[in-house]
């Protein structure tokens, strides 16, 4: 199966799954109060009182006037031009380090030039000894001799 077909299959399964998931939420928008509950009248009164809430008149008005469409357009243009400037700056960066093999060799030579502390060397030896002991302990035991095979 190629990747394009796999995307179609996954997409075909995702849409019904999303519909089922969102369909389960549909009942949450029309809940029913249990009339046998002792708090049912209070719950229903709160629901009825706030059924139309929030309304736009309940939100505070802004103290500042809305910007004019011309100013909004200017802000959008400034944002677009700053994005263009940023893209131009990124294009000017020399992202290439040259030959990667030569770069790796240079880094390795700088690392090799650093002297290893005796503590590090001792620790490395301890690690190797521990690994050898662990490998020996992890070896399977010899097979058990079960005697001659039955006839």
């Amino acid at each position: 199966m190629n990747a394009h077909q796999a995307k179609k299959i996954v997409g075909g399964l995702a849409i019904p799954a999303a519909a089922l998931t969102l369909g389960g939420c549909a009942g949450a928008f029309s809940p029913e109060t249990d009339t046998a509950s002792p708090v049912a009248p209070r719950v229903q009164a709160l629901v009825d009182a706030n059924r139309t809430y929030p309304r736009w008149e309940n939100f505070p008005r802004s103290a500042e006037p809305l910007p004019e469409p011309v100013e909004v357009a200017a802000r959008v243009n400034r944002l677009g031009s700053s994005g263009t400037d940023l893209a131009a700056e990124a294009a000017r960066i020399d992202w290439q380090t040259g030959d990667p093999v030569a770069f790796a060799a240079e880094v390795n030579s700088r690392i090799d030039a650093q002297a290893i502390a005796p503590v590090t060397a001792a620790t490395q030896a301890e690690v190797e000894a521990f690994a050898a002991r662990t490998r020996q302990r992890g070896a399977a035991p010899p097979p058990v001799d079960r005697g001659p095979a039955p006839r």
Side-chain angles (χ1 to χ4, degrees):
M1 172 185 322
N2 65 25
H4 188 64
Q5 288 175 332
K7 287 180 185 178
K8 285 183 180 179
I9 291 172
V10 170
L13 295 175
I15 292 172
L20 286 174
T21 303
L22 294 175
C25 296
F29 296 115
S30 59
E32 294 181 14
T33 306
D34 181 12
T35 55
S37 172
V39 293
R42 176 74 175 131
V43 169
Q44 194 58 48
L46 287 171
V47 168
D48 292 340
N50 294 307
R51 190 170 298 280
T52 59
Y53 190 79
R55 288 177 281 177
W56 285 114
E57 57 263 11
N58 298 113
F59 290 96
R61 294 198 181 274
S62 174
E64 297 177 19
L66 294 175
E68 293 296 321
V70 174
E71 185 178 342
V72 172
R75 289 181 187 179
V76 169
N77 287 336
R78 279 196 305 268
L79 184 61
S81 66
S82 66
T84 304
D85 294 343
L86 181 62
E89 283 183 44
R92 286 192 299 269
I93 296 174
D94 181 22
W95 296 99
Q96 302 301 320
T97 58
D99 182 25
V101 175
F103 179 72
E106 177 192 348
V107 170
N108 286 334
S109 67
R110 288 192 312 202
I111 291 171
D112 291 339
Q114 298 291 322
I116 297 176
V119 174
T120 306
T123 304
Q124 182 67 27
E126 291 172 2
V127 169
E128 293 297 330
F130 174 75
R133 286 192 313 270
T134 305
R135 280 190 218 100
Q136 289 172 352
R137 284 186 11 215
V144 176
D145 183 19
R146 299 191 186 270
R151 289 196 175 236

